[in-house]
Amino acid sequence: MARITGMEVLDVRFPTSRELDGSDAMNPDPDYSAAYVVLHTDGGPDGYGLTFTIGRGNDVQAAAIAALADHVVGREVPETAAQLAALSADLVGDSQLRWLGPEKGVAHMAVGAVVNAGWDLAARRAGRPLWRFLAEMTPEEIAGQVDFRYLTDALTEDEALEILRAAEPGRARRAADIAERGYPAYTTSPGWLGYGDAKLTRLAEQAVADGFDMIKLKVGGDLTDDIRRMKLAREAVGPDVRIAVDANQRWDVGAAVSWMEALAPYRPYWIEEPTSPDDVLGHKAIADGVAPILVATGEHVANRVMFKQLLQAGAISVLQLDACRVGGVNENIAILLLAAKFGVPVCPHAGGVGLCELVRHLSFFDYVAVSGSTENRVIEWVDHLHEHFTDPAVVRDGHYLAPAEPGFSARMHDATLRRFRFPDGPEWTENAR
Amino acid sequence: MARITGMEVLDVRFPTSRELDGSDAMNPDPDYSAAYVVLHTDGGPDGYGLTFTIGRGNDVQAAAIAALADHVVGREVPETAAQLAALSADLVGDSQLRWLGPEKGVAHMAVGAVVNAGWDLAARRAGRPLWRFLAEMTPEEIAGQVDFRYLTDALTEDEALEILRAAEPGRARRAADIAERGYPAYTTSPGWLGYGDAKLTRLAEQAVADGFDMIKLKVGGDLTDDIRRMKLAREAVGPDVRIAVDANQRWDVGAAVSWMEALAPYRPYWIEEPTSPDDVLGHKAIADGVAPILVATGEHVANRVMFKQLLQAGAISVLQLDACRVGGVNENIAILLLAAKFGVPVCPHAGGVGLCELVRHLSFFDYVAVSGSTENRVIEWVDHLHEHFTDPAVVRDGHYLAPAEPGFSARMHDATLRRFRFPDGPEWTENAR
């Protein structure tokens, strides 16, 4: 019987603000970072997880992960569905730490990193990529991962089982199908707010040439600029490629509606994060005001209770799952089931550092064992920082290839950890700003 | 011109779990704690603030406060309304730290602690208790403290000014009035879940003898127990004293409604935290299901955007302001204005450690300069840990006395800080558990 013998937490930061990669209306100068966790074991592989942050405060996030050590160190390495459910329940249920959320922000993301590292460990030991490991569980085992507290007015365990059982017959066929054709992707690379017009046009044209049928632009800084950039993008990609726009929470309800009216002639596909991620009723008002443009959110939605309400209210038409914002795989299974119940497509948030690597597993699993569909579903792709991972996400011809290595793909190269460790790695000591 | 020369952050914990004080359905064994911050200056008094937590993770909270040092150290000591508004805006607006919330959880409570310490500093320098310092500002200065982002669909700056101007004429009279009669209080001391029946009865009778016309019981552990305890409490206090009940987020929507039906014969006044603090739509469904029993929440409501929706949806009839959960005085001014706009009474959450000391200032201010009323308003009182503060809250005859010392009352005695510092204070080294 193998045990978790230690938990190591690292503060790893990449100096992305130097190039304005990742710049948007609310995040002018992010340094993409990871609070990175390793679960060491006394037999077999270690487990890896992370929380994505954008720089300052990554040390606080790391401290929050470290505060969970007593729940995992000395614990039996989780292998079974029951052990994985218990790990999540113990971490979420710490009655003193719960006060720091509950189930939101730094404390909850810390839970997510450790839960994800536990799943990585289990999938590695099983010799399966996480999506296959998950998709080979029974409906009962999958539903058993979910904390249904606060969900039962929208989704009961029986309803979840019904969804999972309905998808059971076609699993093998869909797993083979998605491994063959890959999962549809869209690219945000052309659209950062800090990029000039020429770069935007060039990257948008490149995206189409690379096989993407959807791109995304950041908006919300200046309306005149946005109209010009949207027009350039539309000209660059032609009439048939979808262009999503992303305001990164910049607006109030009224501003969101009027701004989108001005962009409507260029046919934006969705407006993402038009306002506060906490504002369920605001998103609903915006959705009513901007239809037929879709409303999308999720990367900052704190937990399953918020997603539940966004779905109950009809406030979103696109659910943007994030692998590292909520309480890890277990809560993301709950969110996938909620989306399936309400018939809303899941189009995960990715980019940052590691998010593409992780979240693809959840979409592949969703296709095989939950929703059974890729219709109107697409995973974000930002071609950035993948070289730091031992099992990097790969997109070809506008599709994510199926991950094949065992685990959940959060592991970074040792050389990366040494170089980018903050504040003492050479990337930071040799390039002091 | 005085400057802030340093920021000190301390992890202070009280071993309250030894006596089951503070035990409820979700928090069986809290160790009431404070992540305590001191803003040192080079002239005049220092400033004090805190975040209340319940034990584990208080170190994470302290780390989150420490991460804000660059925003305050070296800064001019805030004295004017404009400087206080700028302090809050700089802290809330840090674009990298914002990712850790946004505006919720550990990162946001850290902002609240530092913002509150800034107000403490300003009020001390002005030689005024915070409530008077605030209530002597102009309507424009008060409204200028508020970040109206995400609020304008419910409350615009013009509407806020209208509310404040309407309350301006009676300010002097109300300040004299409330200083004379004190602010109505209710007591939670009888009702902790860990207390036996005899203790409950004795403390409930004592509460009435002490002049309280409202008490609160914790519920949500076991229905049979709750019915028995509610019956005992009703017998102890008689028909006219209000009994609020508090489930500390224990239930789903359906369970909340049926549980309250069982308690209804004993006429509970409000049901507090029936479900997740994030569940606006759930609170609304519960409110519809339990009427005429009122629904109350707030101590875990993350920010003004959540309060806005609870009010917009008609989900709460009682708003439980908390001095330390949100982004400090500035955001609490926004919340008081929202409550005034929607005509919902504010009955602050208190107890813990330091919450009574701080939040009374906000209710006194609300009466003088915002709502102008104490009707159906009452501040929670728990007679616990006040001896550790240099300006402790005092309740007499069921009323909070008006704070008279300069500042915001978060300062603890030096002897307390030495004794209860975690993990190296003698309270912890000499009583290792």
Side-chain angles (χ1 to χ4, degrees):
Chain A
M1 188 185 69
R3 290 204 176 270
I4 297 170
T5 53
M7 187 171 96
E8 190 181 356
V9 188
L10 294 172
D11 180 347
V12 186
R13 306 191 193 187
F14 302 90
T16 48
S17 64
R18 292 179 197 154
E19 303 293 329
L20 294 182
D21 302 324
S23 56
D24 64 50
M26 294 293 269
N27 310 297
D29 56 353
D31 284 326
Y32 284 175
S33 304
Y36 183 78
V37 57
V38 186
L39 300 179
H40 294 290
T41 71
D42 59 6
D46 293 340
Y48 303 85
L50 61 83
T51 305
F52 168 59
T53 83
I54 63 172
R56 282 184 297 280
N58 201 49
D59 50 335
V60 178
Q61 188 59 56
I65 296 172
L68 298 168
D70 285 350
H71 288 286
V72 286
V73 177
R75 194 180 187 101
E76 208 174 315
V77 169
E79 294 185 340
T80 66
Q83 287 173 316
L84 287 156
L87 173 63
S88 171
D90 286 354
L91 290 165
V92 174
D94 183 310
S95 69
Q96 292 186 356
L97 291 174
R98 190 178 185 280
W99 187 271
L100 302 178
E103 299 188 53
K104 61 176 68 66
V106 168
H108 200 46
M109 293 193 287
V111 168
V114 177
V115 164
N116 285 346
W119 282 91
D120 180 63
L121 201 47
R124 283 176 192 272
R125 289 180 74 87
R128 313 294 279 157
L130 180 82
W131 69 277
R132 287 194 190 270
F133 180 71
L134 271 173
E136 287 161 4
M137 286 185 169
T138 66
E140 292 72 19
E141 287 172 332
I142 295 170
Q145 302 306 316
V146 173
D147 181 357
F148 284 94
R149 174 169 281 180
Y150 308 139
L151 295 189
T152 58
D153 57 324
L155 178 76
T156 64
E157 183 159 11
D158 283 347
E159 291 172 319
L161 282 169
E162 214 171 286
I163 291 166
L164 292 163
R165 285 175 186 146
E168 217 178 357
R171 280 190 189 183
R173 178 182 48 74
R174 283 194 299 274
D177 163 49
I178 200 74
E180 161 93 22
R181 65 182 172 95
Y183 201 103
Y186 74 92
T187 175
T188 303
S189 297
W192 301 109
L193 220 50
Y195 289 179
D197 290 353
K199 190 169 182 180
L200 185 162
T201 297
R202 177 168 54 79
L203 291 174
E205 288 169 352
Q206 186 63 48
V208 179
D210 288 346
F212 292 99
D213 61 5
M214 175 170 163
I215 67 167
K216 190 163 80 186
L217 300 191
K218 299 291 183 175
V219 296
D222 176 274
L223 181 57
T224 314
D225 285 347
D226 283 353
I227 293 171
R228 188 187 70 254
R229 295 170 68 252
M230 187 75 195
K231 184 165 182 288
L232 285 171
R234 178 54 74 202
E235 287 166 2
V237 303
D240 299 331
V241 169
R242 290 169 296 177
I243 306 177
V245 298
D246 181 355
N248 291 89
Q249 312 169 26
R250 187 57 190 266
W251 302 317
D252 282 26
V253 171
V257 174
S258 61
W259 202 293
M260 290 311 295
E261 271 169 15
L263 298 183
Y266 309 101
R267 293 190 296 109
Y269 178 59
W270 78 48
I271 171 60
E272 174 173 332
E273 289 205 306
T275 191
S276 164
D278 300 333
D279 200 346
V280 173
L281 303 178
H283 279 85
K284 170 61 174 161
I286 293 166
D288 290 344
V290 304
I293 300 167
L294 307 178
V295 170
T297 196
E299 72 186 79
H300 280 90
V301 173
N303 55 45
R304 71 195 182 285
V305 180
M306 297 304 297
F307 277 115
K308 177 189 74 164
Q309 294 175 85
L310 287 162
L311 294 165
Q312 285 175 314
I316 55 172
S317 298
V318 175
L319 189 152
Q320 299 186 290
L321 198 77
D322 185 290
C324 299
R325 172 66 63 180
V326 300
V329 169
N330 299 66
E331 190 162 27
N332 269 324
I333 292 172
I335 295 164
L336 289 171
L337 287 163
L338 281 164
K341 163 83 188 285
F342 285 87
V344 167
V346 172
C347 300
H349 170 246
V353 57
L355 300 181
C356 298
E357 277 65 29
L358 274 82
V359 85
R360 58 188 171 148
H361 288 276
L362 301 174
S363 281
F364 277 78
F365 160 67
D366 176 66
Y367 175 65
V368 176
V370 186
S371 75
S373 171
T374 57
E375 197 183 338
N376 294 324
R377 289 162 172 86
V378 61
I379 309 173
E380 183 166 19
W381 170 247
V382 185
D383 194 3
H384 203 194
L385 303 176
H386 302 292
E387 66 275 19
H388 299 297
F389 289 83
T390 61
D391 179 25
V394 180
V395 164
R396 288 230 182 96
D397 206 15
H399 289 70
Y400 273 78
L401 303 192
E405 299 284 313
F408 199 4
S409 310
R411 184 175 187 181
M412 292 189 203
H413 292 295
D414 293 342
T416 288
L417 299 176
R418 280 193 302 273
R419 173 149 199 89
F420 292 94
R421 205 163 78 172
F422 187 87
D424 55 341
E427 183 68 26
W428 296 100
T429 55
E430 292 168 10
N431 298 289
R433 288 184 295 175
Chain B
M1 188 186 69
R3 289 203 177 271
I4 297 170
T5 54
M7 188 172 97
E8 192 181 353
V9 188
L10 293 173
D11 180 347
V12 186
R13 307 192 193 187
F14 302 90
T16 49
S17 63
R18 292 179 197 155
E19 303 294 328
L20 294 183
D21 302 325
S23 55
D24 65 50
M26 293 294 268
N27 309 297
D29 57 353
D31 284 326
Y32 283 175
S33 304
Y36 184 78
V37 58
V38 185
L39 300 179
H40 293 291
T41 70
D42 59 7
D46 293 341
Y48 303 86
L50 61 82
T51 304
F52 168 59
T53 83
I54 60 172
R56 283 185 295 281
N58 200 48
D59 52 334
V60 177
Q61 188 59 55
I65 295 173
L68 298 168
D70 286 350
H71 288 286
V72 286
V73 177
R75 194 180 187 102
E76 209 175 314
V77 169
E79 294 186 340
T80 67
Q83 287 173 316
L84 287 156
L87 172 63
S88 171
D90 285 355
L91 289 165
V92 174
D94 183 309
S95 68
Q96 292 186 356
L97 291 174
R98 190 177 184 281
W99 187 271
L100 302 179
E103 299 188 51
K104 62 177 64 70
V106 168
H108 199 46
M109 294 193 286
V111 167
V114 177
V115 164
N116 284 348
W119 281 91
D120 179 64
L121 202 47
R124 283 176 192 272
R125 290 180 72 87
R128 313 295 278 158
L130 181 82
W131 68 278
R132 287 194 189 271
F133 180 71
L134 271 173
E136 287 161 5
M137 287 185 169
T138 66
E140 292 73 18
E141 286 172 333
I142 296 169
Q145 302 308 317
V146 173
D147 181 357
F148 285 93
R149 174 170 280 180
Y150 307 139
L151 296 188
T152 58
D153 56 325
L155 178 76
T156 65
E157 182 158 12
D158 283 347
E159 290 171 318
L161 282 168
E162 215 171 284
I163 291 165
L164 292 164
R165 286 176 186 144
E168 215 178 358
R171 281 190 189 183
R173 176 179 52 72
R174 284 193 299 274
D177 163 50
I178 201 74
E180 162 92 21
R181 66 182 171 96
Y183 201 103
Y186 75 92
T187 175
T188 303
S189 296
W192 299 110
L193 221 49
Y195 289 179
D197 289 353
K199 190 169 182 180
L200 185 162
T201 297
R202 176 169 55 79
L203 291 174
E205 288 170 351
Q206 187 62 48
V208 178
D210 289 345
F212 292 99
D213 62 5
M214 175 171 163
I215 66 168
K216 190 164 80 186
L217 301 191
K218 299 292 182 174
V219 297
D222 176 274
L223 181 57
T224 313
D225 285 346
D226 284 352
I227 292 172
R228 189 187 68 254
R229 295 169 69 253
M230 187 76 196
K231 183 165 183 289
L232 284 172
R234 177 54 75 202
E235 287 165 1
V237 302
D240 299 331
V241 168
R242 291 169 294 176
I243 306 177
V245 298
D246 181 356
N248 291 88
Q249 312 169 27
R250 187 59 191 265
W251 301 317
D252 282 26
V253 171
V257 173
S258 61
W259 203 292
M260 290 310 296
E261 271 169 14
L263 298 184
Y266 309 100
R267 294 189 298 110
Y269 179 58
W270 77 48
I271 170 61
E272 174 173 333
E273 289 205 306
T275 191
S276 164
D278 300 334
D279 199 346
V280 174
L281 303 178
H283 279 85
K284 169 62 173 160
I286 292 166
D288 290 344
V290 304
I293 300 167
L294 306 179
V295 170
T297 197
E299 72 186 79
H300 280 90
V301 173
N303 55 44
R304 71 196 182 287
V305 180
M306 295 305 296
F307 277 115
K308 177 188 75 165
Q309 293 175 85
L310 287 163
L311 294 165
Q312 286 175 314
I316 55 172
S317 298
V318 175
L319 189 152
Q320 299 186 291
L321 198 76
D322 184 291
C324 300
R325 173 67 60 182
V326 302
V329 169
N330 299 66
E331 190 163 26
N332 269 324
I333 293 173
I335 294 163
L336 289 172
L337 286 163
L338 282 164
K341 164 82 187 286
F342 285 88
V344 167
V346 173
C347 299
H349 169 247
V353 57
L355 299 182
C356 298
E357 278 65 30
L358 275 81
V359 84
R360 58 188 172 149
H361 288 276
L362 301 174
S363 281
F364 277 78
F365 160 68
D366 176 65
Y367 175 63
V368 176
V370 186
S371 75
S373 171
T374 58
E375 197 184 338
N376 294 325
R377 288 163 172 84
V378 62
I379 309 174
E380 183 166 21
W381 170 248
V382 184
D383 194 3
H384 204 194
L385 304 177
H386 303 292
E387 67 275 18
H388 299 298
F389 289 84
T390 61
D391 180 23
V394 180
V395 165
R396 287 227 185 98
D397 206 15
H399 288 71
Y400 272 78
L401 303 193
E405 297 284 314
F408 199 5
S409 311
R411 185 176 185 180
M412 292 189 204
H413 292 295
D414 293 342
T416 289
L417 299 176
R418 280 193 302 272
R419 172 148 200 89
F420 293 93
R421 206 162 77 170
F422 187 88
D424 54 342
E427 183 70 25
W428 296 100
T429 54
E430 293 168 10
N431 298 289
R433 289 184 294 175

